[in-house]
Amino acid sequence: MMKRQILVIIMMISTLGIYSFNKYNANDAKTSFASFYHDKFNGKKTASGEIFSNSKLTAANRTLPFGTQLKVTNIRTGKSVIVRVNDRGPFHSSRALDLSKAAFDSIGNPDRGTMPIEYEIVD
């Protein structure tokens, strides 16, 4: 009987702990890495149906709704750009965004291939 009571108490503490510390908000800034699209994708259809252009300020994300505006900041330089989600990806677990080359180039060095970023939804 005592073991069962202890087990119930531990389960209650665990459950309450999860709820009290889970203050996640979808609009909070997140950190990750970003890469950019290869030129071979120019003129191809994105997942949203839009034609991709490396000269526009757009991005791919696995879950955010199409049309979501994001402020993306290069953590190394502090430079920021506003992009619009119009595609799905990247399909690499360590990256949250694929940026158009124009967006990547405006805040980072394309020679590096990826950059550490912070991103947040803007209205």
Side-chain angles (χ1 to χ4, degrees), residues 32-73:
S32 187
F33 286 86
S35 52
F36 62 90
Y37 282 83
H38 189 277
D39 286 330
K40 71 181 181 184
F41 294 106
N42 269 322
K44 303 261 200 275
K45 232 180 219 185
T46 64
S48 68
E50 192 177 314
I51 300 300
F52 177 73
S53 170
N54 245 334
S55 64
K56 292 183 178 174
L57 299 177
T58 58
N61 179 269
R62 288 183 290 277
T63 58
L64 290 170
F66 296 135
T68 301
Q69 301 273 326
L70 299 173
K71 179 182 179 186
V72 182
T73 304

